Amino acid sequence: MNKRIVAVRRLHADHLQQLEGKFHVDYFPHLDDDNLDEYHAALARAHGLIGGKLSVTPALLDGAPHLEVVATISVGYDNFPVDEMSRRGIVLCNTPDVLTETTADTGFALIMATARRVPELDRFVREGQWQAHVDEAQFGRDVHGKTLGMVGMGRIGAAVARRGALGFGMPVIYSNASPKPVLEAELGARSCSFEELLACADIVCVTVPLTDSTRHLIGADAFRQMKRSAIFVNIARGPVVDEAAMVTALQEGEIAGAGLDVFEQEPLPATSPLLGLPQVVLLPHIGSATHETRAAMAQLAVDNIVLALQGQAPPNGVNLGVLSMNSALY
Ligand code: NAP
């Protein structure tokens, strides 16, 4: 009997075909109140679940007693109860690496757009305010040659740092859970304390995962320690930053500007004070959102779920220890 999987959110026809060639697929391109019962009924029979922006809770797992694998189309997995999944013998797979460069591009786009005030000055032109030569009121801040402070120096952090050091001549300092001697040799990057980074960086860019130890890592104290000319960029996860403290820091001029791809609440509510701050550049969580990269992520998730349900080690398992625990499966 073919194994059954549930696929959530829109998948490319080619990826869907690959899955349908191997499994019985219950496909939910959109999830809403109208098909929620159908979705839960499909989960009750499913061996695998694949998709982006999945919401997996212990209660959902209770209703999916045959589940062996969950393949998320993302690198971040802060929204999954990983320990609970491991306890139940469910493998969680993610999609690292294929999105690293694209997300770093997004980070650098935010650095440039915020420092040089690109969206604000685009509006200036469109609204017919460009009536004479620009003056100091429209000036931005240099990026090249400025000190880039990376909070988190993993795959994406290193890719942002590489752009800064090699493309823009920026000295790079970083604060990370472990030192990165190879990157230090490659980029001349220097490891420093979190406090030193906040005090010395002209651009502070956050790329740590959201965990218990990074939730609200950047709060009121951190913003007070930054330079008043600092540009702050978050391409990690919204809750790594205390958003209310960031708004206060921006309103009171404790930092010069912020470029944000992620927020504590997404989509950003229409009441967010961030919307009224011209020195802030806002993106709708598009770190990896290019045609090429989203296709590569989906393909990797397909590979992950296919291999795992065929009893082989998937390329990207978050809790691969489950494989050795679960001898019935593998
Ligand atoms: P990664 O390679 O695992 O890098 C994370 C880095 O953070 C690691 O170097 C890790 O240190 C470090 N770290 C972890 N906890 C820390 C702490 N408490 N203090 C200091 N450093 C800490 O992950 P990645 O692929 O670069 O992705 C990073 C995050 O970016 C993801 O988790 C995701 O949330 C986010 N992301 C966002 C988007 C978007 O659309 N905006 C897209 C992709 C990813 P070690 O090296 O010592 O482990």
Side-chain angles (χ1 to χ4, degrees):
M1 186 199 70
N2 267 0
K3 292 203 167 173
R4 304 183 68 103
I5 68 166
V6 173
V8 179
R9 313 267 178 231
R10 189 163 294 288
L11 283 177
H12 192 276
D14 175 46
H15 297 134
L16 200 55
Q17 241 171 24
Q18 291 178 48
L19 293 170
E20 284 172 343
K22 296 199 159 45
F23 310 114
H24 175 97
V25 181
D26 287 308
Y27 181 37
F28 296 87
H30 303 287
L31 269 186
D32 51 37
D33 287 348
D34 288 343
N35 62 6
L36 215 53
D37 287 346
E38 214 185 315
Y39 173 60
H40 286 129
L43 278 176
R45 303 185 297 260
H47 303 96
L49 171 63
I50 182 170
K53 304 245 178 278
L54 295 171
S55 169
V56 171
T57 59
L60 179 134
L61 297 176
D62 284 343
H66 309 293
L67 206 57
E68 298 170 15
V69 186
V70 175
T72 174
I73 307 178
S74 68
V75 64
Y77 52 88
D78 45 275
N79 50 327
F80 291 92
V82 181
D83 291 345
E84 182 62 27
M85 292 174 74
S86 300
R87 202 180 60 71
R88 296 172 189 239
I90 300 169
V91 178
L92 174 63
C93 301
N94 66 343
T95 60
D97 300 317
V98 291
L99 47 53
T100 296
E101 298 300 330
T102 296
T103 308
D105 285 348
T106 303
F108 230 87
L110 279 173
I111 291 172
M112 294 297 293
T114 311
R116 298 301 303 272
R117 304 170 54 189
V118 172
E120 193 189 346
L121 294 174
D122 174 89
R123 284 192 296 273
F124 178 82
V125 176
R126 287 173 198 273
E127 289 166 4
Q129 296 182 60
W130 188 23
Q131 300 293 345
H133 292 301
V134 295
D135 61 22
E136 281 191 16
Q138 286 80 43
F139 287 180
R141 291 172 192 280
D142 278 344
V143 171
H144 67 272
K146 293 295 184 72
T147 297
L148 175 60
M150 297 303 307
V151 180
M153 192 59 126
R155 289 170 292 239
I156 294 169
V160 173
R162 214 166 267 123
R163 282 159 177 69
L166 305 180
F168 288 76
M170 301 170 84
V172 176
I173 55 178
Y174 72 96
S175 148
N176 192 68
S178 61
K180 302 288 174 188
V182 175
L183 273 177
E184 292 184 16
E186 180 193 345
L187 304 178
R190 183 171 66 78
S191 168
C192 67
S193 68
F194 182 54
E195 290 70 25
E196 184 185 347
L197 183 143
L198 297 175
C200 297
D202 297 302
I203 289 146
V204 176
C205 180
V206 182
T207 63
V208 287
L210 175 62
T211 64
D212 288 345
S213 68
T214 62
R215 190 173 295 275
H216 281 198
L217 176 70
I218 315 280
D221 275 356
F223 286 112
R224 267 194 293 272
Q225 291 173 69
M226 291 181 203
K227 293 182 180 181
R228 292 181 84 78
S229 56
I231 299 291
F232 175 73
V233 169
N234 186 6
I235 52 169
R237 285 288 183 264
V240 173
V241 177
D242 178 343
E243 206 164 280
M246 177 173 64
V247 167
T248 304
L250 286 158
Q251 285 169 335
E252 304 202 343
E254 288 172 5
I255 58 172
L260 307 169
D261 186 41
V262 287
F263 304 89
E264 288 204 88
Q265 193 186 329
E266 296 180 5
L268 188 66
T271 52
S272 170
L274 288 168
L275 294 165
L277 298 175
Q279 70 275 46
V280 177
V281 178
L282 305 166
L283 292 179
H285 199 148
I286 50 106
S288 64
T290 64
H291 294 290
E292 301 89 337
T293 294
R294 284 293 169 87
M297 290 164 68
Q299 183 60 60
L300 190 49
V302 167
D303 295 345
N304 279 326
I305 200 164
V306 167
L307 284 171
L309 285 178
Q310 287 176 341
Q312 298 167 51
N316 302 105
V318 168
N319 57 347
L320 281 180
V322 167
L323 297 183
S324 50
M325 278 163 44
N326 200 342
S327 54
L329 230 186
Y330 298 95

